[in-house]
């Protein structure tokens, strides 16, 4: 199948290139906003929600009962509300705001009857007496376009309001806050993080690709595939976001994976093609590969490449796609959407490597191996030769000797190291944070912090109870809630349609911390004479965590079974397949351990900024763990399949392991290095969830490339010796059709 694919591409390379070019243009049009609102315009600030849980049901009840529209709030700072002339200075802004289409109310403490002495003005006045709030409410029945225009007009006018007060309060400043502004700021941050990461990491990746492939033309091919995969992958995200909510952070993750996987897969294909072409042309200038159409040597090299490296790419991509598909079984829709996006990106990257890259190889042909400005560069020939086993690095040879001479010690040392790195994962505390994930310098985060510090009565309580009862019964039950140990205060019950809402404020400023979670549990445990729903960040976090704990074992088991089946078919060994499955699991857990050390404990805050949120973000761990597992299992499969191939050719197990490691360590390490470099763009991002995904994946990929593939798997293969191929006889009957397919 893969050899036939290579022949087909070799016969019609320009058609393949044009087809991918058309797809990339369409992708840019969709993802870039040429048609519609683009990928960044489609995403939201979605957080994981447990479908059917009490918090999800309560949130839906509130949404259905809400009769008010969206609001925009201005926190005015540096102004004494009692200063003379302030009320008159606010009149022009009140008039202008009230005239905006869709505005149904403009509220500030001085505009109320009797002004700031009105009891209703208290929530709008700063505790320190140096500020006040201006709240503008919109009608709930505005159309999407009209609402967007009204929100923009209100925001613009509120932004300039402090300037109206210059005559009576020269030091007045203000911060405008609203839900739509959080979305806008998050979108801007995602775009900025993506651009900054690309600027910092792509040059490093380019150097690695150039060093391994040896020439500018050869190095340009994986980058061409990466650019196309990026455009098509983000277009796929655009389509998914049109159907369901996709969190904004997934855009950056999808972009990094599209680039990293495409470059890695492209390097594998181009590197193998250069080897095959050298073998064909060095001896007789390709005379033995003549064909009716095109350059016979190039066509045959492409055919051999797709049958070998193409097979490796397909297997690695399949394992990664299977691993990420486990997100579909966890429950929260936002995680399922992220899983669908990542799977599509993986498939696009693999498809580009299997079709576009070979087509470009055919088009460029022998120019890739001919000396010239764009051909092989003399300065990198030594490294290129090492990658194709034409030289030996003494330091690597020393490591090989240790692995070969003391395999038991190597296995024991690697397992001990993995155990130490995995241990912190047992203490992981999952979080579902809100605006705390925004950078400390974000305007909307500053707005919410100012609101919580200066206007506690106007800020939303961390926990809320939706009760299906009347106000009198709710008041009586709220008195019981106020007696709970972890509760600091309870807001006066308010009606919302046929329901009553009771705000509960935990004795902690952390809306998702242990105290808030205890309040959720204690309130739910109270006996209420009516139906209640406990909602809020801590409630959502509790419900999501419970759902993940219940469903994660099933999802992990399903992924493990399918991955093991793929490993068995690729290697023909039960022992090696189980070993690869186990090491990949440890690598993923080590990535989770890195998250605990860096973010939950905050030990690297001085390096990464104030990133610790007291735990690990659920979405970050849910995305990073399966991706880390899939990458490790995929590249491990490539190494073990090579060992199996050499063993089937008659090599002893220890010799096969040594030869496979020597032939692949430079290339596979460089592929991992490119991915780690690109993941570094996530580590330096401003959004905490991106930092967490970047740290987990970078740590896992680095660990897999060094400890697992360079040391542990080859040493384990040597230790197991003949036992490595237990089950090979009966597996051969299953693998034969697969080998013929290959």
């Amino acid at each position: 199948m893969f050899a036939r694919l290579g022949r087909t591409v070799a016969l019609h390379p320009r058609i393949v290139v044009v087809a991918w070019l058309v797809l990339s243009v369409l992708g840019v049009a969709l993802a870039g906003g040429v048609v519609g609102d683009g990928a960044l315009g489609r995403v939201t600030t979605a957080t994981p929600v447990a479908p059917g849980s009490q918090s999800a049901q309560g949130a839906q009840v509130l949404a259905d009962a809400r009769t008010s529209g969206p609001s925009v709030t201005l926190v005015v700072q540096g102004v004494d509300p009692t200063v003379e002339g302030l009320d008159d200075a606010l009149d022009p802004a009140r008039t202008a705001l009230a005239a905006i289409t869709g505005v149904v109310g403009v509220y500030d403490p001085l505009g109320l009857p009797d002004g700031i002495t009105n009891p209703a003005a208290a929530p709008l006045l700063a505790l320190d007496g140096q500020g006040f709030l201006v709240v503008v409410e919109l009608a709930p029945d505005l159309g999407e376009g009209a609402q967007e225009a009204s929100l923009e007009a209100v925001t613009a006018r509120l932004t300039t309001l402090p300037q109206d007060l210059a005559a009576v309060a020269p030091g007045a400043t203000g911060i405008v806050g609203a839900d739509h502004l959080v979305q806008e700021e998050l979108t801007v941050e995602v775009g900025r993080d993506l651009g900054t990461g690309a600027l910092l990491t792509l040059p490093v990746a380019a150097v690695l690709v150039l060093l391994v492939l040896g020439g500018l033309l050869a190095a340009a091919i994986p980058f061409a595939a990466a650019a196309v995969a990026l455009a098509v992958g983000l277009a796929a995200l655009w389509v998914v976001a049109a159907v369901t909510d996709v969190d904004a952070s997934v855009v950056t993750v999808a972009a990094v994976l599209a680039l990293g996987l495409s470059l890695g897969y492209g390097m594998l294909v181009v590197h193998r093609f250069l080897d095959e072409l050298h073998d064909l042309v060095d001896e007789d200038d390709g005379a033995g590969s003549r064909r009716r159409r095109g350059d016979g040597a190039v066509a045959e090299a492409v055919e051999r490449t797709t049958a070998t490296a193409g097979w490796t790419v397909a297997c690695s991509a399949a394992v990664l796609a299977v691993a990420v598909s486990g997100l579909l079984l966890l429950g929260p829709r936002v995680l399922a959407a992220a899983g669908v996006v990542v799977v599509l990106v993986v498939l696009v990257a693999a498809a580009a490597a299997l079709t576009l890259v070979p087509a470009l190889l055919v088009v460029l042909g022998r120019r890739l191996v001919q000396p010239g400005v764009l051909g092989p560069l003399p300065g990198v020939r030594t490294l290129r030769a090492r990658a194709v086993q034409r030289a030996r690095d003494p330091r690597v040879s020393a490591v090989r000797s240790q692995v070969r001479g003391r395999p038991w010690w190597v296995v024991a040392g690697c397992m001990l190291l993995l155990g130490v790195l995995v241990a912190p994962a047992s203490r992981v505390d999952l979080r579902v944070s809100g605006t705390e994930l925004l950078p400390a310098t974000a305007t909307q985060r500053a707005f919410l912090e100012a609101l919580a510090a200066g206007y506690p009565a106007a800020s939303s309580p961390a926990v809320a109870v939706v009760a299906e009862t009347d106000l009198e019964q709710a008041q009586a039950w709220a008195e019981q809630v106020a007696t709970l140990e972890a509760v600091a205060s309870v807001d006066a019950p308010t009606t919302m349609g046929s329901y009553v809402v009771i705000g509960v404020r935990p004795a902690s400023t952390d809306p998702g911390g242990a105290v808030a979670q205890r309040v959720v549990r204690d309130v739910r445990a109270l006996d209420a004479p009516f139906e209640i729903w406990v909602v809020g960040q801590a409630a959502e976090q509790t419900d999501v965590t419970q759902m993940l704990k219940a469903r994660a074992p099933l999802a992990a088991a399903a992924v493990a079974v399918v991955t093991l089946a793929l490993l068995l078919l690729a290697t023909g060994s039960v022992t090696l397949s189980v070993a690869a499955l186990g090491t990949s699991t440890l690598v993923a857990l080590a990535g989770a351990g890195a998250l605990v050390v860096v973010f939950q404990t905050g030990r690297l805050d001085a390096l990464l900024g104030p990133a610790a949120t007291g735990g690990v973000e659920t979405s970050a761990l849910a995305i990073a763990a399966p991706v880390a597992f899939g990458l490790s299992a995929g590249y491990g499969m490539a190494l073990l399949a090579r060992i199996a191939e050499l063993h089937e050719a008659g090599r002893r197990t220890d010799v096969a392991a040594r030869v496979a490691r020597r032939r692949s360590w430079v290339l596979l390490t460089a592929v991992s290095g490119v991915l780690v470099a690109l993941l570094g763009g996530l580590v330096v991002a401003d959004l905490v969830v991106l930092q967490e995904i970047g740290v987990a994946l970078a740590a896992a990929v680095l660990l897999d490339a060094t400890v697992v593939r360079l040391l542990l798997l080859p040493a384990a293969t040597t230790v197991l010796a003949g036992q490595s191929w237990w089950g090979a006889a009966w597996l051969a009957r299953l693998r034969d059709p697969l080998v013929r397919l290959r």
Side-chain angles (χ1 to χ4, degrees):
M1 175 181 176
F2 288 92
R4 188 181 303 115
L5 175 63
R7 286 195 296 272
T8 302
V9 172
L11 287 173
H12 311 287
R14 287 174 175 78
I15 294 178
V16 174
V17 172
V18 170
W20 276 104
L21 184 60
V22 171
L23 286 176
S24 63
V25 170
L26 291 175
V28 170
L30 291 176
V34 178
V35 178
D37 45 9
L40 288 177
R42 289 271 184 175
V43 295
T44 67
T45 54
T47 56
V49 175
S53 65
Q54 189 183 110
S55 59
Q57 293 175 4
Q60 188 60 51
V61 168
L62 284 176
D64 294 340
R66 184 172 287 111
T67 57
S68 60
S71 63
V72 185
T73 301
L74 169 67
V75 178
V76 181
Q77 299 171 315
V79 179
D80 184 350
T82 63
V83 68
E84 186 177 352
L86 183 59
D87 189 17
D88 293 336
L90 287 169
D91 275 338
R94 293 179 185 135
T95 303
L97 289 166
I100 295 174
T101 302
V103 172
V104 295
V106 180
Y107 311 102
D108 66 81
L110 289 90
L112 297 174
D114 299 326
I116 61 175
T117 61
N118 189 322
L124 303 176
L125 295 170
L127 291 179
D128 62 0
Q130 292 298 309
F132 59 92
L133 300 180
V134 179
V135 181
V136 180
E137 185 178 330
L138 272 63
D141 54 354
L142 290 176
E144 183 177 351
Q147 184 182 94
E148 184 177 344
S150 297
L151 287 172
E152 184 176 347
V154 169
T155 301
R157 186 62 186 90
L158 285 177
T159 302
T160 61
L161 189 149
Q163 300 173 16
D164 299 344
L165 311 181
V168 295
T173 60
I175 307 175
V176 181
D179 290 342
H180 75 284
L181 294 178
V182 174
Q183 173 68 30
E184 290 178 7
E185 191 160 31
L186 185 62
T187 301
V188 171
E189 286 293 344
V190 168
R192 184 184 297 120
D193 286 343
L194 186 58
T196 302
L199 184 64
L200 294 175
T201 60
L202 280 178
V204 178
V207 170
L208 288 173
V209 175
L210 182 61
L211 288 176
V212 171
L213 299 183
L216 294 177
L217 270 182
I221 293 176
F223 274 96
V228 169
L230 177 63
V232 178
L234 291 182
L237 182 148
W238 183 91
V239 173
V240 175
V243 178
T244 186
D245 289 340
V246 176
D247 186 61
S249 62
V250 177
V251 175
T252 306
V253 175
V256 169
L257 288 178
L259 291 173
L261 294 175
S262 298
L263 288 175
Y265 294 158
M267 288 170 66
L268 292 173
V269 174
V270 174
H271 185 276
R272 186 58 181 256
F273 171 81
L274 294 175
D275 285 351
E276 298 290 353
L277 188 58
H278 273 296
D279 290 342
L280 290 170
V281 302
D282 285 352
E283 185 174 347
D284 60 357
D285 198 33
S289 304
R290 297 188 183 278
R291 299 194 180 187
R292 292 182 180 180
R293 294 178 56 183
D295 190 325
V298 171
E300 185 171 345
V302 166
E303 184 178 330
R304 292 182 183 180
T305 297
T306 54
T308 52
W311 167 257
T312 300
V313 167
C315 289
S316 298
V319 170
L320 180 54
V322 166
V324 178
S325 296
L327 291 174
L328 302 177
L329 304 177
L330 293 181
R333 292 187 182 91
V334 67
L335 296 183
V340 171
V341 170
V342 173
V343 168
L344 291 175
V345 166
V346 172
L347 296 179
V348 169
L354 293 173
T355 56
L356 177 60
V357 171
L360 292 174
L361 292 173
V362 174
V363 171
L364 295 175
R366 301 196 188 199
R367 281 173 287 183
L368 294 169
V369 295
Q370 292 173 349
V373 176
L374 299 178
L377 300 177
V380 296
R381 283 178 181 171
T382 302
L383 288 175
R384 168 94 179 97
R386 288 176 183 171
V388 294
Q389 301 86 47
R390 295 176 184 174
R392 292 191 177 187
D393 189 322
R395 291 168 295 182
V396 177
S397 297
V399 173
R400 294 175 189 148
S401 299
Q402 293 296 322
V403 173
R404 184 170 61 251
R406 299 179 178 85
W408 277 108
W409 285 101
V410 173
V411 171
C414 290
M415 292 303 295
L416 178 62
L417 176 60
L418 287 173
V420 171
L421 296 176
V422 166
S426 63
R427 304 192 303 272
V428 65
D429 181 16
L430 295 179
R431 300 292 297 263
V432 179
S433 301
T435 51
E436 307 97 299
L437 296 178
L438 287 171
T441 56
T443 302
Q444 292 307 296
R445 183 166 179 173
F447 165 79
L448 291 173
E449 290 174 351
L451 197 65
Y455 309 87
S459 61
S460 300
V463 178
V465 180
V466 183
E468 192 174 18
T469 184
D470 56 44
L471 199 59
E472 183 178 354
Q473 281 190 311
Q475 180 62 55
W477 186 75
E479 293 175 0
Q480 298 181 44
V481 175
T483 63
L484 295 175
E485 184 178 353
V487 173
S489 64
V490 176
D491 295 351
T494 58
T495 58
M496 180 175 287
S498 59
Y499 300 92
V500 177
V501 179
I502 306 169
V504 183
R505 300 182 184 272
S508 170
T509 57
D510 186 352
V515 175
Q517 292 181 63
R518 180 181 175 184
V519 169
V520 171
R521 293 192 298 269
D522 291 348
V523 170
R524 287 177 173 175
L526 276 180
D527 185 23
F530 40 78
E531 188 170 7
I532 64 169
W533 298 270
V534 181
V535 300
Q537 180 177 323
E540 291 179 359
Q541 185 172 300
T542 299
D543 292 340
V544 168
T545 302
Q546 290 177 350
M547 175 170 281
L548 293 183
K549 287 181 178 179
R551 296 197 177 191
L554 175 62
V559 169
V561 169
V562 178
T563 302
L564 182 60
L566 292 173
L567 287 166
L568 289 171
L569 293 174
T571 65
S573 167
V574 175
T575 308
L576 293 182
S577 298
V578 172
L581 188 68
T583 55
S584 299
T585 303
L586 291 176
V587 165
L589 291 175
L595 289 183
V596 173
V597 172
V598 175
F599 294 94
Q600 186 168 310
T601 64
R603 293 179 182 175
L604 295 185
D605 278 3
L607 177 63
L608 298 176
T613 59
V616 173
E617 289 305 312
T618 301
S619 57
L621 181 60
I623 293 173
V627 172
F629 173 85
L631 289 171
S632 176
Y635 289 129
M637 175 191 289
L639 177 61
L640 293 178
R642 184 62 172 158
I643 294 174
E645 182 182 336
L646 292 169
H647 179 264
E648 291 170 356
R651 305 283 184 100
R652 290 201 326 266
T653 301
D654 58 337
V655 175
R658 185 167 65 252
V659 172
R661 184 176 65 252
R662 186 176 68 245
R663 291 181 178 179
S664 62
W665 81 268
V666 171
L667 179 58
L668 290 180
T669 302
V671 169
S672 298
V674 168
L675 190 53
V676 170
L678 293 172
L679 290 170
L682 298 181
V683 176
V684 300
D686 287 329
L687 293 176
V688 176
V689 66
L690 293 180
Q691 290 181 355
E692 292 189 3
I693 294 173
V695 167
L697 288 180
V701 172
L702 190 61
L703 181 67
D704 180 64
T706 53
V707 175
V708 174
R709 270 187 274 130
L710 183 61
L711 300 174
L712 181 56
L713 284 180
T717 305
T718 302
V719 167
L720 293 170
Q723 297 300 318
S724 297
W725 310 108
W726 182 84
W730 62 269
L731 278 173
R733 292 192 296 272
L734 297 176
R735 294 184 68 228
D736 283 345
L738 193 66
V739 173
R740 288 195 296 271
L741 178 66
R742 172 179 171 181

